[in-house]
């Protein structure tokens, strides 16, 4: 089967145990990039992805951010879907006294109410520094600018996260995609988007490549749809059981350079 384009998730898939790109991964992607586009696709914000693009020498390629909520070509958005401020306000009101950290993201802006344990951990993981700003102020600014959140991250003790998840599912289950990436995390995006919708957009409008010629790598629940849809869906060995089940191929784990190993042996 021809492989004409590569899509890869980042966290749990492309990075090693130090949450960095290994030399093997860098060399394999650099080997193919002049003939086969390599597109990073993640729940991350743009600046948490572009430094990886620079290491891989693929900065000229589009990136898919926020699980498909924002698609950038040459640094400019060709697609943007965000969560409205009315929903953010209701989440903020519910969280009064609930002690859940709420991070708000729009394009390359990341706002946190304070630099607590959760903000510091995300900063360390993504190598991006947030702006400290009260959530109520962010909401007011976004109302005036007709903006919203490409992603909301709720982080906190599992009991509080359970309550927050139930609230969001009850009131906004038809509008929001709620992804429990860890017991202490909820990643929130608009239900109209996914990694697959972003892939389809890029393939149809920018690359003009059929999805049957694409290979995609992933590990988690939010990778299932794209792994099912592309010509070759590859799960790393550490993937969720549901993701492993739909994959055409299972490669080595992310920490064992599974993506680079597949590329070396097949592309």
């Amino acid at each position: 089967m021809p492989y004409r384009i590569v899509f890869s998730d980042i966290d749990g898939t492309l990075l090693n145990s130090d949450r960095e790109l290994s030399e093997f991964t860098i060399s394999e992607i650099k080997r193919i990039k002049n003939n086969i586009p390599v597109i990073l696709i993640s729940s991350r914000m743009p600046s948490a992805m572009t430094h990886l693009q620079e290491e891989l020498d693929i900065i000229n390629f589009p990136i898919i951010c926020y699980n498909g909520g924002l698609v950038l070509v040459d640094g400019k958005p060709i697609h943007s879907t965000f969560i409205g401020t009315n929903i953010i306000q209701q989440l903020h009101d519910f969280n009064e006294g609930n002690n859940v950290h709420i991070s708000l993201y729009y394009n390359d802006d990341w706002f946190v109410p304070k630099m607590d344990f959760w903000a510091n951990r995300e900063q360390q993981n993504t190598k991006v520094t947030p702006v400290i700003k009260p959530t109520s102020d962010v909401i007011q600014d976004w109302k005036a600018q007709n903006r919203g959140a490409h992603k909301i991250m709720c982080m906190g003790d599992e009991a509080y996260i359970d309550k927050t998840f139930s609230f969001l599912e009850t009131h906004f289950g038809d509008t929001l995609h709620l992804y429990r990436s860890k017991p202490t995390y909820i990643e929130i995006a608009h239900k109209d988007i996914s990694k697959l919708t972003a892939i389809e957009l890029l393939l149809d409008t920018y690359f003009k490549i059929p999805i049957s010629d694409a290979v995609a790598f992933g590990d988690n629940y939010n990778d299932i749809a794209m792994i099912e849809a592309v010509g070759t869906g590859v799960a790393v060995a550490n993937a969720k059981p549901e993701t492993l089940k739909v994959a055409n191929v299972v490669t080595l784990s992310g920490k064992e350079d599974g993506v680079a190993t597949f590329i070396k042996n097949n592309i």
Side-chain angles (χ1 to χ4, degrees):
M1 178 179 289
Y3 299 115
R4 296 178 58 195
I5 189 166
V6 171
F7 294 93
S8 183
D9 172 54
I10 295 173
D11 297 287
T13 301
L14 195 64
L15 304 183
N16 62 19
S17 55
D18 296 321
R19 300 184 66 87
E20 296 177 349
L21 296 164
S22 71
E23 288 303 318
F24 181 28
T25 297
I26 292 170
S27 65
E28 280 303 307
I29 290 178
K30 284 184 174 181
R31 179 179 64 81
I32 67 169
K33 69 179 180 64
N34 291 334
N35 298 312
I36 300 173
V38 179
I39 312 301
L40 300 183
I41 180 166
S42 174
S43 63
R44 291 185 176 206
M45 63 193 296
S47 56
M49 299 172 68
T50 50
H51 68 92
L52 300 172
Q53 278 191 304
E54 289 169 358
E55 286 187 70
L56 296 166
D57 197 20
I58 56 171
I59 198 72
N60 57 310
F61 291 138
I63 54 172
I64 297 171
C65 315
Y66 300 123
N67 286 330
L70 181 66
V71 182
L72 300 178
V73 174
D74 297 325
K76 298 176 182 177
I78 65 165
H79 174 82
S80 174
T81 298
F82 53 76
I83 300 162
T85 50
N86 61 320
I87 293 177
I88 304 170
Q89 182 68 61
Q90 290 180 65
L91 172 61
H92 175 58
D93 292 344
F94 172 81
N95 192 50
E96 288 292 334
N98 211 24
N99 206 30
V100 166
H101 171 100
I102 298 176
S103 278
L104 299 174
Y105 300 82
Y106 175 83
N107 204 329
D108 234 357
D109 295 327
W110 171 24
F111 296 103
V112 300
K114 59 183 178 181
M115 284 304 296
D116 56 10
F117 167 82
W118 304 101
N120 278 299
R121 186 157 81 169
E122 280 300 298
Q123 177 179 252
Q124 183 178 0
N125 289 343
T126 62
K127 298 179 172 60
V128 177
T129 300
V131 174
I132 302 171
K133 191 171 187 176
T135 302
S136 56
D137 291 355
V138 176
I139 293 169
Q140 288 307 118
D141 288 348
W142 281 357
K143 279 182 180 177
Q145 299 161 356
N146 194 28
R147 294 180 176 179
H150 282 122
K151 183 175 79 168
I152 303 171
M153 281 277 283
C154 293
M155 297 171 277
D157 292 342
E158 189 171 350
Y160 289 127
I161 291 294
D162 287 342
K163 292 179 184 177
T164 303
F165 188 92
S166 295
F167 168 78
L168 291 168
E169 191 172 46
T170 299
H171 292 85
F172 307 110
D174 294 337
T175 306
L176 300 179
H177 179 72
L178 307 172
Y179 170 50
R180 197 81 176 261
S181 52
K182 298 176 183 177
T184 53
Y185 278 59
I186 311 171
E187 295 186 29
I188 308 166
H190 201 287
K191 208 161 194 173
D192 286 349
I193 58 91
S194 69
K195 289 185 177 183
L196 177 57
T197 61
I199 286 174
E200 291 172 334
L201 174 70
L202 275 182
L203 292 178
D204 292 344
T205 65
Y206 185 76
F207 288 107
K208 308 294 184 183
I209 294 174
I211 199 166
S212 57
D213 290 348
V215 56
F217 299 90
D219 73 303
N220 225 320
Y221 299 116
N222 57 343
D223 298 315
I224 288 175
M226 73 169 184
I227 285 176
E228 280 188 302
V230 296
T232 304
V234 183
V236 287
N238 56 285
K240 300 292 187 186
E242 295 88 342
T243 310
L244 293 168
K245 185 177 179 180
V246 302
N248 302 112
V249 179
V250 177
T251 184
L252 297 175
S253 72
K255 294 178 180 179
E256 297 173 300
D257 296 325
V259 174
T261 299
F262 181 92
I263 290 173
K264 181 181 180 180
N265 293 336
N266 297 279
I267 303 178

